[in-house]
Amino acid sequence: MTLSSISPLLDSRPPVFDPETVAGWLAAHWGLSGQLSPLTSERDLNHRLDAPHGRFVVKIANLAEPHAMTRFQTRALRHAAACDPTLPIPHVVTTRDGTEDVILPSGHLMRVLTWLDGAPLATLPPSPLQAAGVARLGARLARAMQGFSDPAADHSLQWDIKRAAQLRPLLPHISDPALRAVATATLDRFDTRVAPALPALRWQVIHGDLNPHNLLGDPAAPDHVTGILDFGDMVLTPMVCDLAIAAAYCLDPADPAASLAAFAAAWATEYPLTAAEITVLPDLVAARMVTTLAITSFRAARYPENAPYILRNFPSAAQGLTALAKAGPEALSRALARLTPMDAPMTRDPMPNAFVPGAGNLGPTEAAMVDRRQHLLGPAYRLFYETPVHLLRGQGVWLYDPEGNAYLDTYNNVASVGHCHPRVVAAMAEQAATLATHTRYLHDGVLEYAERLLAHFPPDLAHVMFTCTGSEANDLALRLARAATGGTGIIVTENAYHGVTASVAEFSPSLGPGVPLGAHVRTIPAPDARHGDPATTFTAHVQAAIDDLIRHGIRPALLIVDTVFSSDGLFTDPPGFLAPAAAAIRAAGGLFLADEVQPGFGRTGGHMWGFQRHGVTPDMVSLGKPMGNGYPVAGLVLQPHVIAEFGAKARYFNTFGGNAVAAATAMAVLSVIEEEGLMQNAARVGATFRAGLETLATRHPAMGDIRSAGLFLAVDIVTDGRPDRARAGRLVNALREAGILISATGPQGHTLKIRPPLVFSEDNAALFLDRLDVILRRDG
Ligand code: PMP
């Protein structure tokens, strides 16, 4: 095998054009002029342009570089900047025509990028702080590239560590026999231990060459890393390769194990690592060093006139590889074992010692933040937990605080497809970078989403109107119901929550006695199957409320229920009991509104919507929370007859409701739910979770009734069989101290509310059960 059969590019020289010609193209296409000075590059023709209003890099790509490859880089830069706008990377300057490049008459592709100030780290004194800065910035870039895809990304790149095994034919070019032997042993280990593990790691597009010549620092403060350059080695590969490449240049040969562990820990503060990634890291670092040694030795022999430049990273790679070999794999794994992987396996000794329950545990930063909140946000805001949780970042089912402690999120239904799902983030960022307007212009996004969403409903529910919050959806529903029925009376359950607007708060009794209910509102008991068959009792309560409204001269307009009765304590069984209640309100001239803000989008496992469990088609359905996985998008789905009267008299416009970014985000969420099978996951994991809770309850009398539907689970906490709010509160706080986030609900506050993102796994459930078990055994 020859090298050029691996990479034809390495044989191609940079294009040659004189500066006047380049200046002519710059003026014609970009309207830019100024002083051009050549920059060194192995394969492209690069110039610095000092223009009156700024400094730029003018790049003319090698003719051997396919245009698709350069455009892949352009798209990646745009994507990363959209995901992390303060990331110090070059930005592509568009031409007068709005294009991001120009194809010259010779076929060469020309681009202009913004200039980044700073000096290459290779010219600045290294330090542990600087290394940590490299790790954090590299991780930020990798995180910003999560979810980015491009057809050209999966290309064959000789420097790609996953291909290290293919470098064996080049090893004879390493002239030092001892070094060659270490390199050979490294590749042997790579073949047996690393290559088989690669397919199961997290793959994404990476920068691929975070070496000190491509990273910038501030000469006045050399610890400060200020920029990332050269996106020419980007490739689709396991993410941890980017970490390994960056680490290969930052190791302290005097203590490779400790410096690698410190580097990985700094990386993980921005981009948490999995256990499998941590395991392969030292071997990947060594493989990168072999890559450097093999390729540069080969190329220096081939182009002796350019050897000093080609070999500039050889000495540090040789020193690093020797140091790693001397330290040995055990010492390296021991040092890395101190890192906490994001998917830490469950343990029988789960209490992290760092946590001591009680507000006294509030660190100085958090104490100050609590105080600032009070001053800035005023007295109506509440925090969860005796010791509030300070969060920095989320990923999947995990949330992280500034110290890097991981919390298993068993509570947040908004991030239903997982915190910061890369596909959702990418869709949101791409749309935000393309067009963000409202529904008064024609735009496909909102229409495509409406079609996809309505396809999940019975055909009678044929319209969808967009809002930003569930409260707004319910508020709109009330206006429609008033117009359609001519009535004003509303029936809700005793501890219902439907939102925050003035009219919706009037029918949200869970807000407490301080928030008065409207005179037109009637409350009824939740359908608790322990107090009789809800098909009979609940319908009888609805009928009694209808009768009472009429007796007071109020015409019924609406029966609104959260179809799993979350804030009442979760009542889902037996399926079917809502149908006669809906029939009762309709017979009285009112409408039936299913509030799906909590159960909607697959949470109950069996169905996409909670009302489907009851075999009833509502007049209106309100949606919210999980719809945008954190982006504020909500809506009201309705039968056309409901809006006929309103539509004849009034118009509807909601500035942000259904905006282009909302539609793109919600579309991505729906796609993820469908394609990742999250409803099915909710059914499967929910059933295992429930079975685990039931088993635990046989050992712990504090655990009373257990109710669930899919991944919405409730456990009553009792003492001597009676509701015990204080005990439930203690449990919630103890779980928080043990790194598990949940809450309590219900009119007596004694019901544990377990409502994780739908990507929750059986292992996650096992971890929860394990920690709950330990706490109950410890605290009784
Ligand atoms: N309905 C239900 C059942 C809810 O749980 C909530 C929010 N907790 C709302 C409506 C209101 O939604 P939002 O907070 O988006 O206004």
Side-chain angles (χ1 to χ4, degrees):
M1 178 166 46
T2 66
L3 186 63
S4 54
S5 75
I6 305 173
S7 177
L9 275 186
L10 294 181
D11 277 345
S12 316
R13 308 297 163 110
V16 183
F17 293 108
D18 60 56
E20 292 74 44
T21 313
V22 176
W25 289 321
L26 267 177
H29 296 291
W30 278 269
L32 286 172
S33 60
Q35 180 69 37
L36 278 174
S37 357
L39 296 167
T40 342
S41 166
E42 265 191 276
R43 50 194 204 205
D44 301 334
L45 175 64
N46 293 343
H47 284 89
R48 186 175 98 189
L49 170 70
D50 286 292
H53 59 285
R55 198 174 263 184
F56 303 90
V57 183
V58 181
K59 294 177 82 72
I60 300 181
N62 194 299
L63 207 49
E65 177 101 352
H67 294 169
M69 200 57 74
T70 311
R71 287 178 171 155
F72 153 49
Q73 294 165 25
T74 300
R75 287 192 64 235
L77 284 171
R78 181 155 36 89
H79 177 94
C83 289
D84 186 347
T86 61
L87 204 55
I89 53 175
H91 291 235
V92 179
V93 181
T94 47
T95 63
R96 286 172 154 165
D97 297 336
T99 61
E100 289 173 318
D101 55 49
V102 167
I103 303 195
L104 303 174
S106 55
H108 289 86
L109 189 140
M110 178 171 175
R111 290 183 302 161
V112 177
L113 306 181
T114 53
W115 177 269
L116 290 182
D117 280 328
L121 290 188
T123 64
L124 301 175
S127 72
L129 266 183
Q130 186 193 73
V134 169
R136 283 196 305 271
L137 196 57
R140 258 179 76 190
L141 174 63
R143 206 178 65 197
M145 303 259 257
Q146 259 184 356
F148 170 71
S149 64
D150 188 282
D154 192 10
H155 64 114
S156 166
L157 179 76
Q158 198 187 22
W159 287 90
D160 183 357
I161 319 183
K162 73 169 178 288
R163 299 180 190 274
Q166 296 173 13
L167 295 172
R168 276 187 200 275
L170 302 189
L171 293 186
H173 293 277
I174 302 176
S175 50
D176 175 347
L179 194 57
R180 196 165 59 237
V182 176
T184 308
T186 304
L187 291 192
D188 292 345
R189 209 176 136 84
F190 184 91
D191 283 345
T192 54
R193 302 182 58 97
V194 182
L198 295 177
L201 299 179
R202 293 181 293 175
W203 286 50
Q204 65 163 73
V205 172
I206 65 162
H207 178 279
D209 196 13
L210 294 170
N211 82 63
H213 297 274
N214 290 340
L215 291 158
L216 299 176
D218 179 354
D223 290 339
H224 193 50
V225 188
T226 58
I228 304 179
L229 301 177
D230 193 348
F231 288 69
D233 285 321
M234 284 190 308
V235 66
L236 177 70
T237 207
M239 183 281 286
V240 65
C241 292
D242 227 12
L243 162 56
I245 293 164
Y249 298 93
C250 292
L251 282 202
D252 176 1
D255 194 347
S259 56
L260 178 58
F263 193 86
W267 183 285
T269 61
E270 292 290 344
Y271 198 152
L273 300 168
T274 65
E277 288 166 344
I278 295 171
T279 305
V280 294
L281 178 59
D283 287 320
L284 285 174
V285 174
R288 168 64 179 200
M289 288 165 170
V290 172
T291 306
T292 303
L293 297 175
I295 298 179
T296 60
S297 300
F298 169 82
R299 286 176 50 66
R302 190 158 180 164
Y303 306 106
E305 71 286 359
N306 212 3
Y309 177 79
I310 292 172
L311 288 171
R312 65 197 188 285
N313 288 322
F314 185 97
S316 70
Q319 211 185 8
L321 187 66
T322 311
L324 281 179
K326 211 162 135 216
E330 282 79 36
L332 292 163
S333 336
R334 253 199 322 278
L336 287 170
R338 288 202 299 272
L339 299 179
T340 312
M342 56 182 284
D343 50 353
M346 91 186 204
T347 107
R348 276 271 141 199
D349 176 24
M351 299 300 171
N353 293 330
F355 291 113
V356 181
N361 195 37
L362 213 58
T365 311
E366 285 71 31
M369 285 174 90
V370 169
D371 199 47
R372 271 170 71 215
R373 265 175 68 97
Q374 189 81 12
H375 278 95
L376 293 167
L377 310 184
Y381 278 79
R382 305 284 187 276
L383 283 160
F384 282 150
Y385 309 114
E386 278 169 16
T387 309
V389 182
H390 178 186
L391 292 176
L392 214 57
R393 206 182 47 245
Q395 190 170 39
V397 295
W398 295 96
L399 291 165
Y400 298 87
D401 72 11
E403 279 82 49
N405 295 308
Y407 297 85
L408 179 66
D409 186 354
T410 322
Y411 181 74
N412 284 291
N413 58 339
V414 171
S416 80
V417 301
H419 288 279
C420 308
H421 192 292
R423 182 155 166 201
V424 176
V425 172
M428 187 190 303
E430 286 214 14
Q431 186 58 49
T434 309
L435 177 75
T437 50
H438 51 71
T439 47
R440 278 186 165 161
Y441 300 104
L442 288 173
H443 189 256
D444 275 332
V446 72
L447 302 179
E448 280 169 15
Y449 179 64
E451 276 163 2
R452 286 271 307 277
L453 179 70
L454 290 173
H456 284 278
F457 284 88
D460 285 349
L461 286 158
H463 295 323
V464 51
M465 300 172 78
F466 290 101
T467 61
C468 306
T469 66
S471 304
E472 277 186 308
N474 286 333
D475 194 279
L476 175 63
L478 176 62
R479 293 178 66 202
L480 300 190
R482 283 181 181 156
T485 65
T488 55
I490 301 172
I491 303 169
V492 292
T493 50
E494 274 167 357
N495 207 50
Y497 180 76
H498 294 292
V500 292
T501 69
S503 63
V504 179
E506 283 194 347
F507 59 91
S508 291
S510 72
L511 288 172
V515 181
L517 296 178
H520 56 293
V521 176
R522 296 294 178 274
T523 63
I524 56 174
D528 187 339
R530 290 166 296 185
H531 305 141
D533 174 16
T536 316
T537 54
F538 191 67
T539 314
H541 288 305
V542 170
Q543 191 56 53
I546 293 170
D547 296 344
D548 191 61
L549 284 169
I550 292 171
R551 198 174 320 128
H552 287 84
I554 302 169
R555 201 192 290 186
L558 201 58
L559 165 65
I560 169 169
V561 300
D562 165 349
T563 55
V564 293
F565 301 87
S566 328
S567 53
D568 284 286
L570 198 71
F571 297 102
T572 50
D573 289 320
F577 71 74
L578 277 179
I585 187 75
R586 284 175 175 149
L591 300 178
F592 174 56
L593 165 55
D595 182 332
E596 294 286 344
V597 170
Q598 295 277 347
F601 293 96
R603 174 156 300 274
T604 60
H607 302 277
M608 192 73 165
W609 318 110
F611 67 79
Q612 289 171 314
R613 189 182 179 80
H614 293 280
V616 60
T617 301
D619 298 294
M620 292 183 276
V621 181
S622 49
L623 308 174
K625 287 189 189 278
M627 194 167 175
N629 209 51
Y631 188 93
V633 47
L636 186 70
V637 176
L638 45 111
Q639 300 201 23
H641 72 88
V642 172
I643 198 169
E645 182 66 21
F646 181 94
K649 292 185 188 147
R651 61 185 161 77
Y652 175 74
F653 173 60
N654 184 320
T655 305
F656 299 117
N659 76 74
V661 183
T665 309
M667 182 76 111
V669 173
L670 198 55
S671 303
V672 172
I673 292 174
E674 291 167 1
E675 288 165 29
E676 294 187 12
L678 294 186
M679 189 167 90
Q680 294 74 7
N681 189 67
R684 201 188 63 250
V685 179
T688 316
F689 203 164
R690 183 184 175 127
L693 287 169
E694 278 167 352
T695 307
L696 215 54
T698 61
R699 295 206 295 274
H700 297 294
M703 294 173 70
D705 197 40
I706 296 169
R707 298 173 296 280
S708 73
L711 271 175
F712 205 141
L713 304 104
V715 183
D716 287 347
I717 298 303
V718 294
T719 298
D720 300 329
R722 279 193 300 280
D724 191 337
R725 175 194 292 262
R727 194 174 200 177
R730 284 198 301 275
L731 260 181
V732 167
N733 280 293
L735 279 165
R736 172 254 181 266
E737 303 303 332
I740 306 251
L741 303 184
I742 61 161
S743 181
T745 189
Q748 286 144 306
H750 74 299
T751 304
L752 298 186
K753 178 172 170 188
I754 306 171
R755 197 188 49 178
L758 299 187
V759 287
F760 212 68
S761 69
E762 266 127 359
D763 280 353
N764 298 147
L767 180 66
F768 177 97
L769 292 165
D770 194 68
R771 297 198 175 181
L772 180 61
D773 187 25
V774 171
I775 291 167
L776 285 169
R777 276 194 275 134
R778 185 192 63 188
D779 301 346

